[in-house]
Amino acid sequence: MLNTDFYAGAVIRLATLQKQRGQAGRLLFATISLLPRSRPLPPPMKGLDQCPVGKTGETVFFRRVLLSGQEAIDWYRALGSGDDKSPTPSRSEERNSKYDGIKIEISTLTDDPAWPHLGLPMGEGLFAHLSGRSHPAPFIGNAPARIHRRFGSQEGFDLMLADDKTVAFVARRLHIDLRLYREYLGSIALVAPDPVLKQIDHFMILASADKGERAFYRFVPRAGESLAGLKLTSFDEQNHLLTDFTTQDIPADGILDIDKGDCIGAYGYVVTHQQHGVLAYSPQYPFLRQMNLSIHAGTQGSMTVNVQTGESSNSTRMEYPAAQRSTLASQSLIGDGPRIPNVNARIAIAASRREKLANAKQYGQRWFPDGSREEAMRFIQGELRRARSKVMIADPYLAGLQLGQFLYAVNPETTSVTLLTSGLAFKSKELEPSKTDDFSLRLAQLEKDAKVTAKAYVLQSSILHDRFLVIDDAVWFLGNSLNTLGDRASLIVKLPNPDEVIDQLESMLKQAIPFGDYKIRQAKNQEDAAS
C-alpha cells in the first residue's frame, strides 16, 4: 500500500509536553509528511521552538526534522516500544544532540486503520451543512493525501488545553487545533500525498448540435510520473437515485470525455492505482449551470449609532455601524438552464422539509400552544421518568409546587436530583404564606413519599435568566419556567451541545448557597426588619 520509492523524503513535525524541567518530554502530537519526488525538501530547522504553559511549569517543545522516506516509516512503526526517542535527521550536519535522539514518553499506540492500509479523508461534500466533521485530518492541508494514525493516551493534557497561547502555538506549527480535535492528543499521524497525480479537472461541456452534455475529466500527472495503472470509477446520482456506476482505465493522455446526454444530476468519482490504492475521491456534486449577478451601488458615508447597553441611566454605552444603504444598479443571469424539465428543485424542497422535521425530532423541539399545560407537564414527567443517573433543574422561578408536579417521576434508586433556583422564586406578599417554608415542606414530603432526595441551591443574584432541564447528558432549553410551561405558548428544545451548558450550570452552583442556609438567612433578615 505504501512504496517510499515514490517519495523524495519526509518531514517530521513533533510536539512534546515537558511536565518539569529535566524530565523527558511526552508526545503531544506529531505528523510525518512524505514528500512526492516532484517536491523539494524544505530547509532544515535550526534549534527548536518552545512555549511555556502559562505559569504551570509545563512547557511545549516543537522540532521539525528531515528524514528519508524509509527512515521516517521505520521511526513511525517503532514508536510505542518503550524505548522511544525523538527522530534524528538523516543528514549529519542537521543533527543536534540536545534535541535529536533523546528519550520521549509515548503510551501504547493503536493503529487506525490496520497497518499497512492507508485511508483517504472523505469530508462531507462541497455544499454539505458543516457538522464539525468536515476535516477529519486538518493537518494534511488542501492537497489530497492518504493518512494512517496511531492513537495514544489523551490523558494529562488538561493544563495545556486550557492555555490559549499554547493551543495557538501548536496550531501554527502542526496545523491542528488540539482543543477541537482532542482525539489526536498523545498520537501521531502519517500523511502520504498522492505521488502520481498533480491535478484533476472535472467540469461539464454544454451540448452541441451533434452531441449531448458531457462530463469532462482531465488528469495531470506529477513531473516524471505516468498515468499507467490508474482507474476512474464514476458514480452518478439523480434525486437520491444511483443512475450510473462505471469503472474505466484512465488513458495515457489523461483525457476522458463522457457523453451524459443531459447533466442534471450529481457526479462523483474515485481514482485508484493498482499499486497505491485509492488516490482521490470526490462526492457527488451537481454542475453549476446558472449564476445570478447583482451589482449594488452604495451611498457615500456611514452612520454610527451610540446606545446604552441597559435600561439604567448609569449603564455603559457602545457604538455600532448602521447598515449602509444601497441601490440595485444591474442584475443579470449568467448561464443556461437544463434543456429538459428538471424536478430536482421540487424534490430538494420536499427533502429539505423532511430534514427539518427530522432535526426537530432529533433535538426534541416541541411547541406547546396556549392552554396546553397538562400536555406540557406530562411531556416533562415522561422525560424525567427516563433519567438514569442525574437530573438538574435550573429555573430562577422554581418553587415548591413544581416539586410535586414533576419530581415524583424520578427513580430515586439510580438518579440524583439537583435544583438551582433563585431568590425570585421566594418573593411573596405580606399576607401570603412563606414560600421558603412551603418549599422546605415539599422537599421533605418528596423525600418521605418518593424517597427522592433533592439538593436545592439558591442564587441570590439574578445571573440566571433562562431555564434548563438536565437529564443525564442531555440538556433541554425551556422557553418558560416550569410553573407556566404550556399555560402560555411555549417552546422547548434539546440542545445540540449540552456540555457547554452543563459546565456553566456547574459553575453557577458554586456561586449559589444551599437552600437550608438561604432559609435561615431569610428568617434572620425578616427578624432584623421587624425589629
Side-chain angles (χ1 to χ4, degrees):
M1 283 292 184
L2 181 61
N3 188 340
T4 57
D5 293 339
F6 283 82
Y7 296 94
V11 178
I12 296 182
R13 295 175 175 86
L14 170 66
T16 57
L17 177 67
Q18 186 184 63
K19 296 282 188 179
Q20 295 179 3
R21 184 180 295 273
Q23 286 187 349
R26 181 183 173 193
L27 173 65
L28 177 59
F29 180 60
T31 60
I32 300 175
S33 299
L34 299 176
L35 298 179
R37 288 181 294 197
S38 58
R39 287 270 309 273
L41 290 173
M45 179 181 181
K46 295 181 180 179
L48 51 73
D49 295 339
Q50 63 185 53
C51 179
V53 183
K55 297 181 179 180
T56 64
E58 297 183 353
T59 305
V60 171
F61 293 95
F62 171 80
R63 172 85 167 144
R64 175 174 59 79
V65 300
L66 307 178
L67 274 74
S68 70
Q70 190 57 55
E71 286 176 323
I73 297 300
D74 292 342
W75 180 77
Y76 176 69
R77 295 310 304 164
L79 292 175
S81 62
D83 185 24
D84 300 301
K85 296 181 179 180
S86 60
T88 300
S90 297
R91 299 173 183 173
S92 58
E93 62 270 22
E94 298 175 8
R95 298 170 187 168
N96 191 316
S97 58
K98 293 181 179 179
Y99 322 125
D100 305 320
I102 64 172
K103 180 176 177 57
I104 56 176
E105 293 183 0
I106 300 178
S107 65
T108 301
L109 299 174
T110 302
D111 286 346
D112 179 66
W115 182 261
H117 296 285
L118 305 178
L120 187 71
M122 295 176 61
E124 295 178 323
L126 183 63
F127 302 107
H129 175 71
L130 297 180
S131 69
R133 301 184 300 272
S134 293
H135 301 286
F139 45 81
I140 68 173
N142 296 324
R146 298 162 297 159
I147 65 170
H148 185 274
R149 302 172 292 193
R150 304 192 72 192
F151 288 109
S153 172
Q154 53 185 335
E155 302 299 323
F157 298 106
D158 294 340
L159 295 178
M160 187 280 299
L161 291 175
D163 188 72
D164 293 339
K165 182 180 178 181
T166 310
V167 171
F169 171 86
V170 175
R172 284 194 300 270
R173 290 158 177 81
L174 282 161
H175 313 296
I176 186 172
D177 183 343
L178 289 174
R179 187 180 290 163
L180 183 62
Y181 290 88
R182 299 191 180 208
E183 67 269 30
Y184 284 107
L185 289 167
S187 305
I188 186 168
L190 171 68
V191 181
D194 182 342
V196 177
L197 288 170
K198 176 184 177 182
Q199 180 180 336
I200 300 176
D201 297 322
H202 181 211
F203 52 87
M204 178 186 69
I205 299 177
L206 293 174
S208 61
D210 57 341
K211 286 185 178 180
E213 294 180 337
R214 288 119 66 202
F216 184 87
Y217 295 87
R218 176 173 174 261
F219 300 90
V220 181
R222 295 184 183 275
E225 303 298 341
S226 166
L227 298 178
L230 285 175
K231 293 183 180 293
L232 171 74
T233 299
S234 59
F235 40 93
D236 305 350
E237 179 224 331
Q238 187 169 334
N239 299 320
H240 304 291
L241 301 174
L242 184 65
T243 56
D244 186 67
F245 190 91
T246 305
T247 299
Q248 53 192 305
D249 293 327
I250 295 177
D253 63 2
I255 301 298
L256 280 173
D257 188 346
I258 306 172
D259 192 343
K260 293 292 184 182
D262 291 281
C263 295
I264 60 174
Y267 304 89
Y269 62 84
V270 174
V271 178
T272 57
H273 188 276
Q274 61 185 9
Q275 182 177 0
H276 301 296
V278 178
L279 294 183
Y281 162 78
S282 174
Q284 303 99 310
Y285 295 142
F287 291 116
L288 182 63
R289 290 181 167 275
Q290 289 182 319
M291 180 174 62
N292 280 308
L293 178 62
S294 300
I295 300 177
H296 289 76
T299 57
Q300 290 185 349
S302 60
M303 181 175 66
T304 300
V305 184
N306 187 293
V307 295
Q308 294 180 188
T309 57
E311 296 289 343
S312 172
S313 59
N314 297 325
S315 61
T316 58
R317 303 188 70 87
M318 64 170 287
E319 291 185 349
Y320 70 98
Q324 188 175 19
R325 291 174 294 173
S326 63
T327 57
L328 180 64
S330 67
Q331 188 171 16
S332 58
L333 184 64
I334 302 173
D336 299 320
R339 300 182 302 169
I340 63 174
N342 190 352
V343 297
N344 287 358
R346 171 181 174 179
I347 294 176
I349 291 172
S352 176
R353 183 176 183 276
R354 290 192 296 271
E355 183 177 4
K356 290 177 183 177
L357 292 172
N359 286 338
K361 184 176 181 180
Q362 177 185 354
Y363 292 117
Q365 180 178 320
R366 287 288 298 267
W367 176 269
F368 297 107
D370 180 36
S372 60
R373 174 64 176 166
E374 183 174 342
E375 177 188 355
M377 290 177 61
R378 291 193 182 280
F379 179 82
I380 298 296
Q381 292 162 359
E383 293 302 316
L384 290 171
R385 195 170 287 113
R386 295 186 182 93
R388 292 293 177 266
S389 60
K390 70 178 180 183
V391 164
M392 180 192 296
I393 299 175
D395 183 343
Y397 291 95
L398 181 69
L401 181 60
Q402 286 77 64
L403 305 186
Q405 288 175 328
F406 299 104
L407 292 182
Y408 283 80
V410 175
N411 183 348
E413 295 181 355
T414 61
T415 309
S416 65
V417 177
T418 303
L419 308 176
L420 180 60
T421 183
S422 77
L424 297 173
F426 303 107
K427 287 186 177 181
S428 58
K429 298 178 182 179
E430 291 185 8
L431 298 179
E432 292 179 343
S434 169
K435 290 187 176 181
T436 53
D437 289 340
D438 178 67
F439 194 85
S440 182
L441 288 172
R442 292 180 186 269
L443 278 176
Q445 194 69 33
L446 178 68
E447 183 171 6
K448 177 182 177 182
D449 295 342
K451 309 303 180 187
V452 173
T453 302
K455 296 181 179 179
Y457 298 87
V458 182
L459 288 166
Q460 296 198 86
S461 60
S462 55
I463 61 173
L464 177 64
H465 177 273
D466 294 331
R467 295 87 176 174
F468 301 95
L469 174 62
V470 180
I471 300 178
D472 298 331
D473 295 324
V475 177
W476 297 82
F477 172 81
L478 286 66
N480 284 354
S481 287
L482 286 175
N483 61 351
T484 59
L485 188 69
D487 274 344
R488 292 169 287 179
S490 310
L491 174 73
I492 67 172
V493 63
K494 191 185 295 183
L495 301 181
N497 180 20
D499 294 345
E500 178 184 8
V501 177
I502 291 175
D503 289 344
Q504 293 296 329
L505 293 178
E506 293 286 353
S507 178
M508 286 187 183
L509 279 173
K510 295 177 182 178
Q511 303 178 48
I513 62 175
F515 171 73
D517 294 346
Y518 174 81
K519 183 181 177 183
I520 294 172
R521 187 176 300 181
Q522 287 297 99
K524 186 177 185 303
N525 291 340
Q526 290 175 1
E527 290 177 2
D528 294 341
S531 60

